[in-house]
C-alpha cells in the first residue's frame, strides 16, 4: 500500500461526486473517473426535488427518514443549490380520505413537519390549483439543482487535491491475484472536459480501493470485474414547462401512480413522472404518450397546464436495487433505500465495493457510509465532516445579500447570478475585468459567469451549460448557444469550438423534439431557421465531421443521420437524440 491510501471512484453523478469530496476531506488520495461529463447519468436527468420524505412516508419509511435528515443537512451546506419552495400533498375530491390520513400520520411518524391546509388555504398558496381541490398537507419539500450540487462537490474535492477525469470511461476492471487493483480507462477522443488524460488514449489507474458508484450502470462495472450487481433500472419521464405555473412543489395525495408531481425549478417547472423497468440504462424507448400523460393527468391538479407551453421532455433511469431474492414485481414498490455491496465479503473479490440505489437527496449520506467503509478497509481513522462544512459558494448566504447591497445589483441579472454563485459571487463578478454583457437572456447569465465556467470545465459548452444554466431557459439556446461559443473562440482552436457548439446544439435539440406542438413548434422552427439556415450550420463547408443531424426532427431509432431520413414511428424516438450509434453518448 502507498503511504497515503489511494481510492478510485467510478461515476460522476451525485453519489460519486459526494464520495470524492468526502474522501478528499479525510485526506485520502482520490481519483474520480466519469465516462461523460459530470451528471452525465441519472443525476443530470432527475426531477430536482429536494425530498422532505413525504413521498415515502407511507410506502417506504426508512427512506422517508433519511430524506428529511438529509433535507436539513443540504439546506445548511448547499444553500446556493437549494430553493426552499415548500411542498403540498393535494387531495382532489375523488382521492381517498383514508390515504390522506395515512400520509399525515406517516409524515409525523418519520419526523417530517406536516400541516393540514383547507382547499381554500392551499389555493391561496397556489392560485392555479384546481378550484375543487379538497385539502392539502404542507411539508418542507424543496427544489435542488443537481448540476450545481455535483460541480460544487467536485470542485471542493479538486481544491483538496483530488483528481477528477471526465470523458474517461472505465473499460476494464484490473484484477491481480484474486484482488481488484484498479481500472483501465479510455480517454475521450476530443480534448474537452476536466482532467489531464491524453485524449484518445487508454490509461491504467491503480488504487488501493475501487468504489463503483455508477448507479444504473453498476451492473456493467460488476460484469467487468466478474461479479453480479443486479441493479433494476427504472425509467421515468419529465416534461419542462416554459414558466413556473406553481411556486410550491405540488404532489398528488394518492397511493401511487404516474404523473403526480410538479416541481418549480429555476425559471421553469417540471412535471413528472413514470416508473417503468428497462433492460438497458442507455437504450429504451422515449414515447410520446408518456409526455401526454404528464400534461393530461397533472392538469387535473393545475388545469392551466393543459394550455401551457412545454419546452422540452427528458427521461432518466433510477438505479433501483433490492437484495437478491426479494423479487418485487412492480418497480414502484422497490425500496428507494441504498445498499453497500462489499465484493470482498460478498463475492470473495476484495478491493472494491459498489453503492447502489438511493436518491439524490440522500447522496451525502450515501457518500458518508461508503467513505466510512473505505476508511475502515484501508485502516484510515478520519471522521466525516461533510454534514457540517458548507460546499463552495454556500459558506454564508448572508454574504450574497451583503454583496448585492454593496455593489447595488438588485437587478434581476445580478440577483440571478448571485443565486447561482452564492458566496462565490464576489470573486466571479467582482473579479471580472472588462465589459460584462448578458450572454443568455432567459437565465440572465453574464460573460463573467461563462468565463468562470470555462476556466473550470474547459471547452465543453455542455459543461458550461450545467454550471451556469446558459441555454437552459425559455428559448432553449436559440439566441445564446453561438454567444457561448463566441466566448471560447479567442483562446481555442476554431474546430474545437465548432465541435463544442454542435455538441451543445445536439444536446438542446434532444429534449425538445418531444414537445413540438403549438407555440413550441413555432419556437423550434425559428431556432432551426436561425441555426441551420441563417448560421448555415447544416451546410457549413468549414464544419468538422461531427456536425449536428439537423434533419433528425423526431427521428426514430431507424433514422440515418448522414442521409437525414426520419424514423418510421413518430411516437418512438431513440434516446440518442436521433444520432447514430457511437455518437449517442454525447
Ligand atoms: C425520473 C427520475 C426522477 C428522479 N427524481 C429525483 C428527485 O426529484 N429527487 C431525488 O432526490 N432523486 C431523484 N431521482 C433519483 C436520483 O436522480 C438518483 O438516485 C441519483 O441521481 C443517482 O445518482 P448516482 O450518482 O448514483 O448515479 P448517476 O447519476 O447515474 O451516476 C453514475 C455515473 O456513472 C457513469 N458511468 C457509468 N458507466 C461508467 C463507466 N464505465 N466509466 C465511467 N463512468 C461511468 C455515468 O455516466 C454516470 O454519470 C430521480 C430519478 C429518476 C430516474
Amino acid at each position: 500500500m502507498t503511504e497515503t491510501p489511494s481510492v478510485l471512484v467510478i461515476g460522476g453523478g451525485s453519489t460519486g461526486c459526494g464520495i470524492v469530496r468526502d474522501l478528499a476531506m479525510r485526506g485520502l488520495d482520490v481519483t474520480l473517473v466519469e465516462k461523460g461529463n459530470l451528471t452525465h447519468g441519472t443525476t443530470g436527468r432527475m426531477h430536482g426535488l429536494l425530498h422532505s420524505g413525504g413521498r415515502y412516508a407511507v410506502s417506504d419509511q426508512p427512506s422517508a427518514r433519511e430524506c428529511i435528515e438529509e433535507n436539513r443537512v443540504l439546506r445548511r451546506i448547499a444553500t446556493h443549490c437549494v430553493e426552499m419552495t415548500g411542498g403540498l400533498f393535494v387531495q382532489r375530491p375523488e382521492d381517498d380520505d383514508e390515504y390522506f390520513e395515512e400520509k399525515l400520520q406517516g409524515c409525523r411518524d418519520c419526523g417530517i413537519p406536516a400541516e393540514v391546509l383547507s382547499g381554500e388555504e392551499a389555493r391561496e398558496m397556489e392560485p392555479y390549483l384546481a378550484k375543487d381541490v379538497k385539502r392539502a398537507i404542507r411539508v418542507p419539500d424543496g427544489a435542488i439543482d443537481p448540476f450545481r450540487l455535483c460541480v460544487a462537490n467536485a470542485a471542493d474535492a479538486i481544491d483538496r487535491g483530488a483528481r477528477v477525469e471526465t470523458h474517461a470511461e472505465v473499460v476494464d476492471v484490473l484484477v491481480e491475484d484474486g484482488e481488484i487493483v484498479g481500472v483501465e480507462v479510455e480517454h475521450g477522443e476530443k480534448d474537452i472536459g476536466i482532467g489531464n488524460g491524453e485524449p484518445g488514449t487508454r490509461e491504467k489507474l491503480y488504487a488501493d480501493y475501487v468504489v463503483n458508484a455508477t448507479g444504473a450502470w453498476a451492473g456493467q462495472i460488476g460484469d467487468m470485474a466478474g461479479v453480479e450487481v443486479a441493479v433494476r433500472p427504472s425509467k421515468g419521464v419529465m416534461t419542462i414547462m416554459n414558466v413556473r405555473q406553481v411556486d410550491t412543489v405540488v404532489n398528488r395525495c394518492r397511493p401511487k401512480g404516474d404523473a403526480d408531481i410538479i416541481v418549480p425549478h429555476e425559471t421553469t417547472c417540471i412535471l413528472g413522472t413514470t416508473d417503468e423497468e428497462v433492460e438497458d440504462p442507455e437504450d429504451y424507448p422515449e414515447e410520446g404518450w408518456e409526455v401526454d400523460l404528464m400534461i393530461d393527468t397533472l392538469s387535473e391538479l393545475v388545469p392551466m397546464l393543459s394550455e401551457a407551453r412545454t419546452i422540452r421532455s427528458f427521461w432518466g433511469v433510477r438505479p433501483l436495487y433490492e437484495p437478491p431474492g426479494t423479487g418485487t414485481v412492480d418497480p414502484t414498490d422497490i425500496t428507494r433505500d441504498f445498499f453497500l455491496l462489499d465484493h470482498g465479503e460478498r463475492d470473495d473479490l476484495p478491493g472494491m465495493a459498489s453503492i447502489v440505489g438511493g436518491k439524490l437527496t440522500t447522496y451525502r449520506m450515501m457518500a458518508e457510509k461508503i467513505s466510512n467503509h473505505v476508511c475502515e478497509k484501508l485502516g484510515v481513522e478520519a471522521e466525516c465532516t461533510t454534514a457540517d462544512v458548507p460546499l463552495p459558494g454556500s459558506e454564508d448566504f448572508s454574504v450574497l445579500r451583503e454583496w448585492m447591497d454593496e455593489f447595488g445589483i438588485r437587478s434581476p441579472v445580478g440577483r440571478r447570478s448571485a443565486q447561482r454563485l452564492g458566496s462565490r459571487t464576489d470573486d466571479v463578478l467582482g473579479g471580472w475585468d472588462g465589459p460584462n454583457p448578458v450572454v443568455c437572456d432567459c437565465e440572465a447569465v453574464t460573460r463573467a459567469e461563462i468565463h468562470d465556467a470555462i476556466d473550470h470545465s474547459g471547452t465543453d459548452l455542455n459543461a458550461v451549460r450545467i454550471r451556469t444554466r446558459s441555454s437552459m431557459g425559455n428559448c432553449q439556446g436559440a439566441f445564446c448557444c453561438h454567444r457561448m461559443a463566441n466566448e471560447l473562440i479567442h483562446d481555442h482552436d476554431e474546430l474545437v469550438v465548432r465541435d463544442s457548439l454542435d455538441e451543445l446544439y445536439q444536446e438542446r435539440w434532444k429534449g425538445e423534439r418531444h414537445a413540438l406542438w403549438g407555440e413550441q413548434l413555432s419556437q423550434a422552427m425559428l431556432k432551426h431557421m436561425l441555426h441551420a439556415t441563417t448560421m448555415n450550420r447544416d451546410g457549413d463547408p468549414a464544419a468538422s465531421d461531427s456536425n449536428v443531424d439537423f434533419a433528425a426532427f423526431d427521428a426514430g431509432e431507424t433514422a440515418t443521420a448522414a442521409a437525414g431520413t426520419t424514423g418510421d414511428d413518430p411516437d418512438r424516438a431513440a434516446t440518442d437524440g436521433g444520432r447514430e450509434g457511437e455518437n449517442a453518448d454525447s
Side-chain angles (χ1 to χ4, degrees), residues 133-149:
V133 300
K134 202 168 160 188
R135 53 190 174 156
I137 304 171
R138 177 149 70 174
V139 293
D141 280 340
I144 186 156
D145 188 303
F147 307 111
R148 220 173 292 153
L149 183 74

Side-chain angles (χ1 to χ4, degrees), residues 18-202:
I19 298 168
V20 74
R21 176 179 192 236
D22 192 326
L23 291 173
M25 286 172 85
R26 297 191 205 207
L28 276 77
D29 171 10
V30 53
T31 299
L32 179 139
V33 289
E34 160 56 53
K35 72 173 174 175
N37 207 339
L38 294 180
T39 74
H40 172 83
T42 308
T43 300
R45 318 190 123 251
M46 49 82 76
H47 213 143
L49 172 67
L50 177 68
H51 283 271
S52 62
R55 282 179 77 75
Y56 307 121
V58 178
S59 59
D60 190 352
Q61 294 201 340
S63 298
R65 289 194 176 90
E66 286 168 2
C67 284
I68 186 64
E69 194 179 329
E70 287 303 297
N71 171 301
R72 292 190 173 114
V73 172
L74 291 179
R75 279 194 257 160
R76 251 191 348 258
I77 66 157
T79 48
H80 63 322
C81 305
V82 170
E83 183 189 352
M84 272 321 284
T85 58
L88 293 174
F89 280 86
V90 179
Q91 184 189 18
R92 286 195 41 81
E94 63 272 28
D95 297 338
D96 188 21
D97 279 337
E98 210 175 307
Y99 184 74
F100 187 91
E101 297 304 331
E102 274 181 59
K103 178 72 84 185
L104 186 60
Q105 190 53 45
C107 286
R108 291 183 174 153
D109 291 347
C110 296
I112 302 163
E115 178 195 356
V116 177
L117 303 182
S118 66
E120 203 178 317
E121 287 168 329
R123 279 197 308 280
E124 265 171 33
M125 269 181 79
E126 281 306 330
Y128 294 122
L129 281 177
K131 290 202 167 49
D132 57 351
V133 300
K134 202 168 160 188
R135 53 190 174 156
I137 304 171
R138 177 149 70 174
V139 293
D141 280 340
I144 186 156
D145 188 303
F147 307 111
R148 220 173 292 153
L149 183 74
C150 285
V151 167
N153 274 279
D156 199 31
I158 292 170
D159 275 355
R160 294 168 193 272
R163 175 180 175 192
V164 173
E165 286 284 337
T166 60
H167 304 277
E169 178 169 7
V170 170
V171 289
D172 199 9
V173 173
L174 306 174
V175 182
E176 282 174 15
D177 302 326
E179 189 173 343
I180 292 176
V181 294
V183 299
E184 181 166 11
V185 296
E186 193 167 271
H187 294 288
E189 290 290 333
K190 294 176 193 159
D191 187 13
I192 55 176
I194 325 170
N196 44 23
E198 185 65 24
T201 63
R202 284 193 173 205

Side-chain angles (χ1 to χ4, degrees), residues 278-317:
V278 294
E279 288 285 312
D280 185 331
E282 275 180 83
D283 184 15
Y284 50 83
E286 294 179 343
E287 298 180 75
W289 66 263
E290 297 173 279
V291 178
D292 294 343
L293 180 75
M294 292 306 106
I295 294 162
D296 294 346
T297 310
L298 283 162
S299 301
E300 293 170 13
L301 278 184
V302 180
M304 75 178 308
L305 289 175
S306 62
E307 302 297 325
R309 185 174 136 208
T310 64
I311 53 176
R312 62 193 287 120
S313 288
F314 61 103
W315 279 254
V317 179

Side-chain angles (χ1 to χ4, degrees), residues 10-17 33-51 144 168-171 213-217 220-221 224 234-238 263 273-274 315-319 355 357-362 366:
I10 317 172
S14 52
T15 312
C17 290
V33 289
E34 160 56 53
K35 72 173 174 175
N37 207 339
L38 294 180
T39 74
H40 172 83
T42 308
T43 300
R45 318 190 123 251
M46 49 82 76
H47 213 143
L49 172 67
L50 177 68
H51 283 271
I144 186 156
E169 178 169 7
V170 170
V171 289
T214 53
W217 289 262
Q220 295 177 5
I221 299 295
M224 291 177 202
S234 161
K235 74 162 178 171
V237 64
M238 284 142 292
V263 181
T273 177
T274 45
W315 279 254
V317 179
R318 296 175 189 83
I355 179 129
K359 309 287 301 167
L360 179 122
T361 302
T362 55
M366 294 168 71

